[in-house]
Amino acid sequence: MSSTGGSAESRVAGQLSLLTAAVDGLLGADVVGLSDAEVVDAIRNLERALRRAGAVSHRLVVESVERSLPASFGYRSPHKFLVDVLRISAADASARVSAARQLGVWHASTGESLPAALPDTAAAQRNGDIGADHARAVSRILRKIPHAVDADDTKAAESTLARVARDGTPEDVEQAGHRLLAYLNPDGNLGDDIDRTRRRALTLGRQDTELMSRISGELDPTARALLDPILAKWARPGMNNPADPSSPTGDAEHPTVDSDVLAAAAARDTRTTAQRNHDAFSAMFRAVLESGILGRHRGLPATMIITMTLEQLERAIGGIATTASGGLLPIEDALALAEQAHPVLVLFDHDGRPLHLGRRRRLASADQRLALIAADGGCTRPGCATPASMCAVHHVTDWQKGGTTDIDGLTLACDACHARVDDSAAGWVTRTAEGRYPGRTEWIPPPHVDPGRRPRINHRHHPGELIDHARRGMRAPREGGDAVP
């Protein structure tokens, strides 16, 4: 492992200073006067340098993990540490940590260097011949090689793909990889329980601009065997059709389902198989929530909690409501749900609610938690997107230090962020904001995140705030001129 001595520190700092100076020089350089060939050479040389810099990043990630820096600063994983220190996305941080695991040089407890998991791919990146996309393409192919394939063949496959990557594009690697997989497993019969366990997954994507969410994944044989008979009954033609008021709901073979009514609904049913599967899932989700089988979650009944403004309720059309799990729901759909399930819609006016408990009790009441779900929307630590349903109630001023269980002294924080609140130099500090966002929770970062320790507000769950602030700035009178429209 690397030395922490002053000489090593000065050498690394000196090299980074030279790199910064070189970038400054390039930013100020005149590229207009370059010839066409010189522009192409500059693009190519810059790309090679950036690829090699990626290998340096792997070394630093390895060093931070082997020194347990994330844990010492209160982080549960290296990628969460990178998100805060570098202000990058969770996906980018995860990709960097994964790349470091596969391409970086790690060390045994004795200090001995271990070979990279993908040695030829790592060497190609260190030379600047391939980039991060090439390496990810190699990794994706290797993950698909069955566990039963001989280790020497797997090693040879990695070497082959790295060679293809040096001369081609990431797409070329993918194409070559598919041919390689067919060669290694020509009969397609080498998969075993280890491979199936590794591949099982179910991913729920984020809502898009039309509030739709994409589901993707792979079911193992057991999950598929359990699902098939359920869909055979719940996704049967005519069942659980939201576009048909006369469509029976629930299980097609339940005693309360009239066979003649079902047959008539099936004759009217124009949905595709995929749409019937979707509607069956929706009906099953509703049935599970209404059954009460889920019990309680963080002190509240496990049900949907939807917040909207009083104006939205009175207008009953237009706009978006918010769920405690961070989802978005058109007002019309929220009101339709409220007609069939109670309680599904919660409005807050604070009248008659026991929200101020002082020092009488430490734990927040259900009423206070509901109010915080509406007010905070989710974890209040800057940059955290965890929804309210996955958060705990946190005392802005710690209970042990005299904090009160009053609504204006409470906030939401997910378990990971809650654990990082600490008055020590490595911890975050919370306080109630004044000024532009009065009453909101400010988080003061530790020095490794921001040496200036400037207080921050989380706008992830309140995107309209920044938009409104920008609009007010645009309308503000210009210096010596009229207001901006």
Side-chain angles (χ1 to χ4, degrees):
M1 296 174 63
S2 299
S3 168
T4 57
S7 59
E9 178 183 1
S10 62
R11 285 197 298 271
V12 171
Q15 294 296 328
L16 288 174
S17 296
L18 291 175
L19 176 61
T20 301
V23 173
D24 288 341
L26 287 172
L27 287 172
D30 179 17
V31 298
V32 176
L34 297 177
S35 66
D36 293 351
E38 290 170 336
V39 169
V40 173
D41 285 342
I43 292 174
R44 185 182 296 112
N45 291 333
L46 177 61
E47 179 63 21
R48 178 175 292 273
L50 292 175
R51 290 172 176 179
R52 301 189 69 195
V56 177
S57 176
H58 300 334
R59 294 185 61 193
L60 293 173
V61 171
V62 170
E63 189 71 19
S64 69
V65 172
E66 292 187 335
R67 294 190 189 191
S68 299
L69 289 183
S72 67
F73 286 122
Y75 297 92
R76 296 185 179 181
S77 64
H79 85 270
K80 291 184 180 295
F81 168 72
L82 293 180
V83 167
D84 269 2
V85 173
L86 303 180
R87 292 184 295 108
I88 58 179
S89 69
D92 188 4
S94 181
R96 295 191 192 197
V97 173
S98 296
R101 289 196 179 108
Q102 296 178 323
L103 307 177
V105 176
W106 296 78
H107 302 85
S109 57
T110 59
E112 180 185 2
S113 296
L114 302 174
L118 305 180
D120 291 334
T121 307
Q125 185 175 21
R126 284 196 303 272
N127 293 338
D129 293 335
I130 70 171
D133 286 342
H134 291 93
R136 280 191 288 266
V138 172
S139 178
R140 282 195 298 269
I141 295 298
L142 292 177
R143 283 199 301 268
K144 295 179 181 180
I145 295 179
H147 182 264
V149 171
D150 183 83
D152 289 339
D153 286 342
T154 300
K155 182 178 180 180
E158 188 267 333
S159 179
T160 300
L161 293 173
R163 190 179 306 116
V164 172
R166 286 178 183 269
D167 298 323
T169 67
E171 290 79 9
D172 293 332
V173 176
E174 293 276 2
Q175 186 175 9
H178 294 154
R179 294 177 64 89
L180 190 59
L181 289 171
Y183 172 79
L184 293 173
N185 187 18
D187 298 325
N189 58 359
L190 294 182
D192 57 17
D193 288 340
I194 295 177
D195 293 311
R196 286 189 284 270
T197 299
R198 180 182 61 183
R199 290 175 53 188
R200 78 192 191 285
L202 184 64
T203 301
L204 180 62
R206 295 182 178 181
Q207 289 179 280
D208 60 21
T209 55
E210 296 180 339
L211 306 186
M212 300 294 285
S213 302
R214 178 174 292 276
I215 291 180
S216 61
E218 293 185 82
L219 300 179
D220 65 21
T222 301
R224 177 60 187 264
L226 293 170
L227 178 61
D228 281 342
I230 296 175
L231 291 180
K233 300 174 74 173
W234 287 68
R236 184 172 170 178
M239 287 299 301
N240 299 298
N241 188 352
D244 184 355
S246 300
S247 170
T249 58
D251 178 358
E253 297 182 23
H254 193 276
T256 59
V257 175
D258 187 299
S259 59
D260 293 335
V261 173
L262 175 57
R268 298 188 300 269
D269 197 342
T270 60
R271 295 174 297 169
T272 65
T273 301
Q275 290 170 334
R276 293 201 311 272
N277 288 342
H278 171 277
D279 296 340
F281 272 108
S282 182
M284 285 187 285
F285 299 156
R286 185 194 302 272
V288 170
L289 283 176
E290 293 178 354
S291 70
I293 193 175
L294 296 179
R296 301 178 71 83
H297 175 67
R298 294 187 181 269
L300 295 175
T303 186
M304 283 189 297
I305 300 174
I306 302 175
T307 62
M308 65 176 68
T309 65
L310 183 59
E311 179 185 5
Q312 288 175 321
L313 178 66
E314 292 173 340
R315 293 177 57 192
I317 57 172
I320 301 296
T322 306
T323 69
S325 56
L328 302 177
L329 193 67
I331 293 297
E332 298 91 331
D333 293 344
L335 295 177
L337 285 170
E339 293 175 357
Q340 304 173 37
H342 182 79
V344 71
L345 177 63
V346 184
L347 299 173
F348 304 98
D349 60 5
H350 302 288
D351 292 337
R353 294 289 196 176
L355 299 179
H356 293 269
L357 304 179
R359 297 284 297 177
R360 286 181 294 161
R361 57 183 288 182
R362 177 175 182 173
L363 299 180
S365 68
D367 287 320
Q368 288 176 318
R369 183 169 180 81
L370 287 170
L372 289 171
I373 289 173
D376 292 342
C379 181
T380 55
R381 191 184 71 83
C384 185
T386 302
S389 61
M390 303 299 292
C391 290
V393 176
H394 163 64
H395 287 79
V396 177
T397 299
D398 190 74
W399 171 265
Q400 303 289 351
K401 298 180 180 179
T404 59
T405 311
D406 292 337
I407 193 62
D408 51 7
L410 300 174
T411 193
L412 293 181
C414 69
D415 293 341
C417 294
H418 197 188
R420 287 153 67 182
V421 178
D422 189 352
D423 288 340
S424 68
W428 291 72
V429 177
T430 56
R431 72 183 187 189
T432 301
E434 299 178 357
R436 182 183 299 174
Y437 304 106
R440 294 284 296 283
T441 303
E442 289 182 336
W443 289 64
I444 302 173
H448 72 272
V449 174
D450 179 6
R453 307 203 72 183
R454 291 165 293 186
R456 303 180 182 184
I457 296 286
N458 191 5
H459 299 284
R460 283 286 189 96
H461 310 288
H462 308 273
E465 288 179 341
L466 297 179
I467 295 174
D468 291 341
H469 177 67
R471 286 175 175 171
R472 286 195 298 271
M474 293 173 65
R475 289 194 297 266
R478 293 176 177 174
E479 183 176 355
D482 297 328
V484 178

